Amino acid sequence: MTITMAELALALDARLWGDGAQKVTGAAEAGQAVDGQVSLATTPAYAERLAPGSIAIVAEGMDPDAYGLKAAVLVQRPRVAMASLTRAFDRGLELAPGIHPTAVIDPSAEIGDGAAIGPFVVIGARVRIGSGAQIASHVSIGRDTVIGRDLLAHPGARIAHEVTIGDRVIVHPGCSIGADGFSFVTPEKSGVEEIRETLGERRAIREQHWTRIHSLGGVEIGDDVEIGANTTIDRGTIRATRVGRGTKIDNQVQVGHNCIIGEDVMLCGLVGIAGSARIGNRVVLGGQVGVSDNIFVGDDVIAGGATKIFTNAPAGRVLLGSPAVKMETHVEAQKNIRRLPRLYAQVAELRETVKKLMEKRPDDGSNTKDRSEG
Amino acid sequence: MTITMAELALALDARLWGDGAQKVTGAAEAGQAVDGQVSLATTPAYAERLAPGSIAIVAEGMDPDAYGLKAAVLVQRPRVAMASLTRAFDRGLELAPGIHPTAVIDPSAEIGDGAAIGPFVVIGARVRIGSGAQIASHVSIGRDTVIGRDLLAHPGARIAHEVTIGDRVIVHPGCSIGADGFSFVTPEKSGVEEIRETLGERRAIREQHWTRIHSLGGVEIGDDVEIGANTTIDRGTIRATRVGRGTKIDNQVQVGHNCIIGEDVMLCGLVGIAGSARIGNRVVLGGQVGVSDNIFVGDDVIAGGATKIFTNAPAGRVLLGSPAVKMETHVEAQKNIRRLPRLYAQVAELRETVKKLMEKRPDDGSNTKDRSEG
Amino acid sequence: MTITMAELALALDARLWGDGAQKVTGAAEAGQAVDGQVSLATTPAYAERLAPGSIAIVAEGMDPDAYGLKAAVLVQRPRVAMASLTRAFDRGLELAPGIHPTAVIDPSAEIGDGAAIGPFVVIGARVRIGSGAQIASHVSIGRDTVIGRDLLAHPGARIAHEVTIGDRVIVHPGCSIGADGFSFVTPEKSGVEEIRETLGERRAIREQHWTRIHSLGGVEIGDDVEIGANTTIDRGTIRATRVGRGTKIDNQVQVGHNCIIGEDVMLCGLVGIAGSARIGNRVVLGGQVGVSDNIFVGDDVIAGGATKIFTNAPAGRVLLGSPAVKMETHVEAQKNIRRLPRLYAQVAELRETVKKLMEKRPDDGSNTKDRSEG
């Protein structure tokens, strides 16, 4: 794709500086652009790497003249501009239109117009997929699953049976939507149940086996959801596990059975959410965050990386640590732990001083009294 | 499947109340049941959502009459009933019987009676699989692997070469059984080895490359094991990595090479067990628990979510925290950390008081002596 | 493969003891060897299990005569010997040479000599692969990707489009190289951006959706890299995500978009590295370690299991804990936390003693003064 800098400025809703007729074929990091590529240099540090005579995207407030540019697009909010820019130049998978002859599609499945379906795709009985689906190689979609329009399924994504997926959903390689929940029961109370009741004390340990609870519920994924590579979202037991509209899920996230994830949520890499937890709207969980089963995380909660949430979290709270506490409590606790060596020294010194104070008062009547009582 | 409430009560070994002839076609959460579905309402909170005239499963001790039900099954231990109920109504993958024409099966492989093998399955040389195998699309099974009867392999599961798997094993999408262990050595001592010996001190840092130790051992999986989506169990170096009978493994669990996992163990999502660790029988590890390499976790240990086990754990212990300690020690430590601000205030006040006590005793001979010595 | 003990000693660059003509067909753990297998017994504990009359590999300094062996190979550094030994006996996947008829290879792709490509492999347009590639079943390689010689790709590995991979790279089942980065922006500032600026305080919460930043950069993988099962390495935004020569990555590791990983690095299972982090050369990160986005971890850093690195780490540092601190600081902090109950008792006792000291001095002028002021 080739556009002009003037067209780029228009597309990014940004201000043009210099020669608007300069041609743009792609984008690159400042200092790495080759002929035709527009350099991204929205901070002074990056701008220092710009070659004189090149073309660049810089932030409003920066001076294109100072870098000797031929043309520049000045953006207000660089990351927002990045969204438009990268969308414009993304060539994607370039799947061939139509259905690859090796794909195995059940005759009862309904595929919408404009689909591109790659080699070795398997689509089960009674599946319904909306228009514009792009389904790469090796994807499998189980029986009775219903998917909206403009699905983008990367190679090897696994969508199970009886799953419902909205419009414009993106699923990445190796993700699993709708595998069985991890739900077992022992004929008698298990050690875990006992500990929950007694808070740690265990009575006689009994040898017993795990009996499987099957997963009859499916998974419901809202519109505009994105699901990362090798992420797993298990099906519910009786009703569906749910992921709300607009939620973005990174790679290797685990969402347990029966969970209800809100809208516009962001779950970063390696997050684990145990069964039946409920996550509010616009929640952001950093990498490797954990959420215990059956708890509730309120709207707009933000948890930093590696936070472990064991108990309900009220709306709007910013959490850190393991166990998770309010950000400021965590920062204070860390500071208090770092200062402990000084505290130990102070207390040792105090003990010494007080000991001397006690020793040096043999004439104190009350001390004498203590001795006679002791 | 349609049964009567009387038949359901019989199947669940539970007590019938009301009209046993009512028909059941499925199950649903209380408040979401449609015609023919039996509602699950084993707590009063759920029972409040029951529609009058509906049919339900409730817990013994609850009063079906109070909810205006037509019929009810009263169960002693609701989660045990759930196991029977969900098994009865689970339609599963509905794989077509027989071997799909696209499957690539080595002529030397032996497949037992009653197999259902889906599209694009690959089965290697000399593989032996027992009767009743259900193998969904895109599964691969490497050469010389031996599997018992009633295997259920979900789409895209990866079973490598020279693996041994028992009867009634379930493997979920994208799991990997028998990939190479992560085992490397440097020609001279590596930084890690040095630190283990010196407890933190590092001598000169040498530039050197990692040399691979290959994995000749396979993996041995016992009967009735379940392995979650995208879970990975690496093959052993010289002998097999082992997972004992009845053990259940959730999604995205990592079991390193040479590990020995006991029987009836439960490993929750995102658990990581490093190489050569041994896990006893009936151990339960919560989500995101970590176990260091080469250590031993005794029978019946229970570790809460995100516990990190760096040292051997005796049988029966309940662990929490990072590093893992006894549950009560962890709870006490957390309380002690929370109380630190008060402790700091108390010590500051004490210092002030003692300082005053010292200052106010100019006539103290020992103080005078201190001064003259100072 | 059958060799003699004399040949084995030669291959391992080690010393032969006893009958060099003894035949070796494989290797086994001490106590589990069957006829023809050489036992590994490089510690006295293992050597005790050796059967008299058997053949073994022992460590220099041990006495083969004491165990009644027929022949032994005495090695200087057992783990180094393991590398040679296991390589010699590894039969690997035994892929059939040539290209399986079911593989779908774009006519514009170039495959080097000596390739073995399994069933249901998909290779995209303009892909170039060097000589000696072994590509197992179900692997997909996206358009315009370039791979060096001697690739070993295990079943179901996912290599995306526009990825560059060096020589002798090994990719394990289900890994994903080059999926889209997890990069989103909100039209206005998001809660996360606000917290980063205000360190915890949140102003009005606005409802807004995530806009996608596409990933135009690919991934560049150096020579001799190994990538574990179900590991994910995302593509960069504008330039490539990079993994340096000789780096070894275990299972279920997540490497975010734009990361730069150095050479000879070792990343253990379940490590998560957030976007744009830079990891130096020879860094070793233990299992479940986390690294925050945009930070720098210097050369030769070693982080123990479950360490969470939130800030830049200088070269050579040994890290532990969450948040990560120097190993000795962490050990000290843990000790200080364990000792807190004693500290609380000491302070309580001090308070009691000082209180008594204060009470027992009614004749102290300053105390009298305090009272009159109070």
Side-chain angles (χ1 to χ4, degrees):
Chain A
M1 196 187 81
T2 301
I3 60 175
T4 65
M5 282 293 275
E7 289 166 335
L8 182 61
L10 207 65
L12 300 186
D13 192 18
R15 189 161 66 89
L16 176 71
W17 178 97
D19 178 8
Q22 288 288 320
K23 297 242 182 310
V24 188
T25 59
E29 213 174 71
Q32 305 200 341
V34 296
D35 206 37
Q37 289 183 319
V38 60
S39 293
L40 281 157
T42 54
T43 65
Y46 275 104
E48 279 174 21
R49 305 183 201 163
L50 288 170
S54 65
I55 55 179
I57 297 173
V58 299
E60 274 291 5
M62 292 168 66
D63 177 11
D65 213 14
Y67 308 113
L69 299 175
K70 265 195 197 143
V73 172
L74 291 100
V75 297
Q76 287 287 358
R77 197 157 142 67
R79 277 180 64 82
V80 176
M82 281 288 276
S84 307
L85 177 78
T86 56
R87 187 174 55 245
F89 287 108
D90 189 359
R91 292 167 52 196
L93 300 179
E94 298 190 353
L95 296 180
I99 297 176
H100 195 274
T102 61
V104 172
I105 301 180
D106 192 279
S108 63
E110 296 170 27
I111 315 283
D113 294 341
I117 297 184
F120 310 128
V121 167
V122 175
I123 298 179
R126 298 168 300 279
V127 166
R128 297 204 313 271
I129 302 178
S131 62
Q134 294 196 65
I135 304 178
S137 72
H138 303 100
V139 169
S140 56
I141 302 177
R143 63 170 179 80
D144 297 295
T145 281
V146 177
I147 302 177
R149 60 193 178 83
D150 296 323
L151 169 73
L152 171 53
H154 286 266
R158 308 275 159 230
I159 303 174
H161 55 287
E162 293 180 19
V163 167
T164 305
I165 294 182
D167 296 336
R168 295 172 302 281
V169 167
I170 301 176
V171 296
H172 284 278
C175 70
S176 161
I177 303 173
D180 290 343
F182 191 67
S183 186
F184 296 90
V185 63
T186 51
E188 296 177 51
K189 274 188 189 169
S190 68
V192 175
E193 287 174 279
E194 225 171 59
I195 283 162
R196 291 208 168 175
E197 286 173 12
T198 62
L199 297 175
E201 199 190 323
R202 299 187 66 185
R203 285 181 287 262
I205 287 162
R206 283 175 303 268
E207 193 174 325
Q208 45 184 351
H209 307 326
W210 299 106
T211 303
R212 190 168 207 273
I213 294 179
H214 290 244
S215 299
L216 306 182
V219 178
E220 291 171 16
I221 307 280
D223 295 340
D224 299 299
V225 168
E226 182 157 345
I227 296 172
N230 288 345
T231 279
T232 53
I233 303 176
D234 279 356
R235 62 200 305 111
T237 307
I238 294 294
R239 61 153 179 79
T241 302
R242 291 185 201 124
V243 177
R245 177 201 49 72
T247 286
K248 312 298 182 185
I249 304 182
D250 197 0
N251 298 345
Q252 301 197 44
V253 171
Q254 151 72 356
V255 177
H257 62 284
N258 297 339
C259 282
I260 299 178
I261 314 288
E263 303 188 343
D264 296 318
V265 169
M266 178 168 278
L267 305 179
C268 297
L270 290 160
V271 161
I273 303 182
S276 301
R278 285 171 300 147
I279 309 290
N281 297 324
R282 296 173 302 281
V283 168
V284 176
L285 303 185
Q288 297 183 328
V289 165
V291 178
S292 288
D293 59 292
N294 286 289
I295 71 167
F296 176 67
V297 176
D299 290 347
D300 301 293
V301 164
I302 296 180
T307 299
K308 308 299 180 186
I309 308 177
F310 292 96
T311 52
N312 292 344
R317 186 146 288 182
V318 181
L319 298 171
L320 275 183
S322 173
V325 289
K326 275 200 272 189
M327 188 185 183
E328 50 269 34
T329 309
H330 177 75
V331 170
E332 178 74 16
Q334 291 301 315
K335 201 172 65 182
N336 285 341
I337 291 169
R338 278 197 306 276
R339 286 168 59 203
L340 278 178
R342 200 167 65 182
L343 187 67
Y344 277 105
Q346 289 176 348
V347 171
E349 190 193 330
L350 270 175
R351 281 162 57 88
E352 203 54 40
T353 307
V354 170
K355 195 177 153 201
K356 278 186 196 153
L357 277 173
M358 296 296 284
E359 281 168 357
K360 283 161 194 167
R361 307 175 70 246
D363 54 331
D364 182 319
S366 63
N367 265 346
T368 311
K369 195 177 150 214
D370 282 347
R371 268 184 217 118
S372 63
E373 278 177 340
Chain B
M1 196 188 81
T2 301
I3 58 174
T4 65
M5 283 293 274
E7 287 166 336
L8 181 61
L10 208 65
L12 301 186
D13 192 18
R15 190 160 66 89
L16 174 73
W17 178 97
D19 179 8
Q22 288 288 321
K23 297 244 184 306
V24 188
T25 59
E29 215 174 68
Q32 305 200 340
V34 295
D35 205 39
Q37 289 182 319
V38 61
S39 294
L40 282 158
T42 54
T43 64
Y46 276 104
E48 278 173 21
R49 306 183 202 162
L50 289 170
S54 65
I55 54 178
I57 297 173
V58 299
E60 273 291 5
M62 291 168 66
D63 177 11
D65 213 13
Y67 307 112
L69 299 175
K70 265 195 197 144
V73 172
L74 291 102
V75 297
Q76 287 287 358
R77 197 158 143 64
R79 278 179 65 81
V80 176
M82 282 286 277
S84 306
L85 177 77
T86 56
R87 188 174 56 244
F89 287 107
D90 189 359
R91 290 167 52 197
L93 301 180
E94 297 190 353
L95 296 180
I99 298 176
H100 195 274
T102 62
V104 171
I105 300 180
D106 192 278
S108 63
E110 297 171 26
I111 314 283
D113 293 342
I117 298 184
F120 311 126
V121 167
V122 175
I123 297 180
R126 298 169 300 277
V127 167
R128 297 203 313 270
I129 301 178
S131 61
Q134 293 196 64
I135 304 179
S137 73
H138 304 100
V139 169
S140 56
I141 301 177
R143 63 168 178 82
D144 297 297
T145 282
V146 177
I147 301 177
R149 59 194 180 80
D150 295 322
L151 170 73
L152 171 53
H154 285 266
R158 308 276 159 229
I159 302 173
H161 55 287
E162 294 181 16
V163 167
T164 304
I165 293 182
D167 296 337
R168 295 171 303 279
V169 167
I170 301 175
V171 296
H172 283 277
C175 70
S176 161
I177 303 173
D180 290 344
F182 190 67
S183 185
F184 296 90
V185 63
T186 51
E188 295 177 50
K189 274 188 189 170
S190 69
V192 175
E193 287 174 279
E194 225 171 59
I195 283 162
R196 290 206 169 177
E197 286 173 9
T198 63
L199 297 175
E201 200 191 323
R202 298 187 67 184
R203 287 180 287 260
I205 285 163
R206 284 174 302 268
E207 193 174 324
Q208 44 183 353
H209 307 325
W210 299 105
T211 303
R212 187 168 209 273
I213 295 179
H214 290 244
S215 299
L216 306 182
V219 177
E220 291 171 16
I221 306 279
D223 294 341
D224 299 299
V225 168
E226 183 157 345
I227 296 172
N230 288 344
T231 279
T232 53
I233 302 176
D234 279 355
R235 60 199 307 111
T237 308
I238 295 293
R239 60 152 180 80
T241 302
R242 291 185 201 123
V243 177
R245 178 200 49 70
T247 285
K248 312 298 182 185
I249 304 182
D250 198 359
N251 298 345
Q252 302 197 43
V253 171
Q254 151 72 357
V255 177
H257 62 283
N258 297 340
C259 282
I260 299 179
I261 313 288
E263 303 188 341
D264 297 318
V265 168
M266 178 168 278
L267 305 178
C268 297
L270 290 159
V271 161
I273 303 182
S276 300
R278 285 171 301 147
I279 309 289
N281 297 323
R282 295 173 303 281
V283 167
V284 176
L285 303 184
Q288 296 182 327
V289 165
V291 178
S292 287
D293 59 291
N294 285 289
I295 71 167
F296 177 67
V297 176
D299 290 347
D300 301 292
V301 164
I302 296 180
T307 299
K308 309 299 180 186
I309 307 176
F310 292 96
T311 53
N312 292 344
R317 186 146 287 183
V318 181
L319 297 171
L320 275 183
S322 173
V325 289
K326 276 199 273 189
M327 187 185 184
E328 49 269 35
T329 308
H330 177 75
V331 170
E332 178 74 17
Q334 292 301 315
K335 200 173 65 183
N336 285 340
I337 291 169
R338 277 197 308 273
R339 286 169 58 204
L340 278 178
R342 199 167 66 181
L343 187 67
Y344 277 105
Q346 289 176 348
V347 171
E349 191 193 330
L350 269 176
R351 281 162 55 89
E352 203 54 41
T353 307
V354 169
K355 196 177 152 202
K356 276 187 196 151
L357 277 173
M358 297 296 285
E359 281 167 357
K360 284 163 193 164
R361 308 174 69 246
D363 54 330
D364 183 319
S366 63
N367 265 348
T368 312
K369 196 177 147 214
D370 281 348
R371 268 184 216 117
S372 62
E373 278 176 341
Chain C
M1 196 188 78
T2 302
I3 59 174
T4 65
M5 283 293 275
E7 287 166 337
L8 181 62
L10 206 66
L12 299 186
D13 191 19
R15 189 161 66 90
L16 175 72
W17 178 97
D19 178 10
Q22 288 288 322
K23 297 244 185 307
V24 188
T25 58
E29 214 174 71
Q32 305 200 341
V34 295
D35 205 38
Q37 289 182 319
V38 60
S39 293
L40 281 157
T42 55
T43 65
Y46 276 105
E48 278 174 21
R49 306 183 200 162
L50 288 170
S54 65
I55 55 179
I57 297 173
V58 299
E60 273 290 5
M62 291 167 66
D63 177 13
D65 212 15
Y67 307 112
L69 299 175
K70 263 193 198 149
V73 172
L74 290 101
V75 296
Q76 286 286 357
R77 198 156 142 67
R79 277 178 65 81
V80 176
M82 282 287 277
S84 307
L85 177 77
T86 56
R87 188 173 56 245
F89 287 107
D90 189 358
R91 291 168 52 197
L93 300 179
E94 298 189 352
L95 295 180
I99 297 175
H100 194 274
T102 60
V104 172
I105 301 180
D106 192 278
S108 63
E110 297 171 25
I111 314 285
D113 294 341
I117 298 183
F120 311 127
V121 167
V122 175
I123 298 179
R126 298 170 300 278
V127 166
R128 296 204 313 272
I129 302 178
S131 62
Q134 294 195 66
I135 304 178
S137 72
H138 304 101
V139 169
S140 56
I141 302 177
R143 63 168 179 80
D144 297 296
T145 281
V146 177
I147 301 177
R149 61 193 178 81
D150 295 323
L151 169 73
L152 171 53
H154 285 265
R158 307 277 160 227
I159 303 174
H161 54 288
E162 293 180 18
V163 167
T164 305
I165 294 182
D167 296 335
R168 294 172 303 279
V169 167
I170 301 175
V171 296
H172 283 278
C175 69
S176 160
I177 303 173
D180 290 343
F182 191 67
S183 186
F184 297 89
V185 63
T186 52
E188 296 177 49
K189 275 190 186 167
S190 68
V192 175
E193 287 174 281
E194 224 172 60
I195 283 162
R196 290 206 169 178
E197 286 173 9
T198 62
L199 296 176
E201 200 190 324
R202 299 188 68 183
R203 286 181 287 261
I205 286 163
R206 285 175 302 269
E207 193 173 324
Q208 45 184 351
H209 307 325
W210 299 106
T211 303
R212 189 168 207 274
I213 295 179
H214 290 243
S215 299
L216 306 182
V219 178
E220 292 171 16
I221 307 280
D223 295 340
D224 299 300
V225 169
E226 183 157 346
I227 295 171
N230 288 344
T231 278
T232 53
I233 303 176
D234 278 356
R235 61 198 307 111
T237 307
I238 295 295
R239 62 155 178 77
T241 302
R242 291 186 201 122
V243 177
R245 177 200 50 70
T247 286
K248 311 298 183 186
I249 304 181
D250 198 0
N251 297 345
Q252 302 198 45
V253 171
Q254 151 71 356
V255 177
H257 61 284
N258 298 339
C259 283
I260 299 180
I261 314 289
E263 303 188 341
D264 296 320
V265 169
M266 178 168 278
L267 304 179
C268 297
L270 291 158
V271 161
I273 303 182
S276 300
R278 285 173 300 147
I279 309 290
N281 298 323
R282 295 173 303 280
V283 167
V284 177
L285 303 184
Q288 297 183 327
V289 164
V291 178
S292 287
D293 59 291
N294 285 289
I295 71 167
F296 177 68
V297 175
D299 290 348
D300 301 294
V301 164
I302 296 180
T307 299
K308 308 299 181 187
I309 308 177
F310 292 96
T311 53
N312 292 345
R317 186 146 287 182
V318 181
L319 297 171
L320 276 182
S322 173
V325 289
K326 275 200 274 190
M327 187 184 183
E328 49 269 34
T329 308
H330 177 75
V331 170
E332 178 73 17
Q334 290 303 314
K335 200 173 66 183
N336 286 339
I337 291 170
R338 275 198 307 274
R339 285 168 59 204
L340 278 178
R342 199 167 65 181
L343 186 68
Y344 277 106
Q346 289 176 348
V347 171
E349 191 193 330
L350 270 176
R351 281 163 55 88
E352 204 51 42
T353 306
V354 169
K355 195 176 152 202
K356 277 187 196 153
L357 277 173
M358 297 295 285
E359 281 169 357
K360 285 163 191 163
R361 305 175 71 248
D363 53 331
D364 182 320
S366 62
N367 264 347
T368 310
K369 196 176 148 216
D370 282 348
R371 270 183 215 118
S372 61
E373 277 176 341

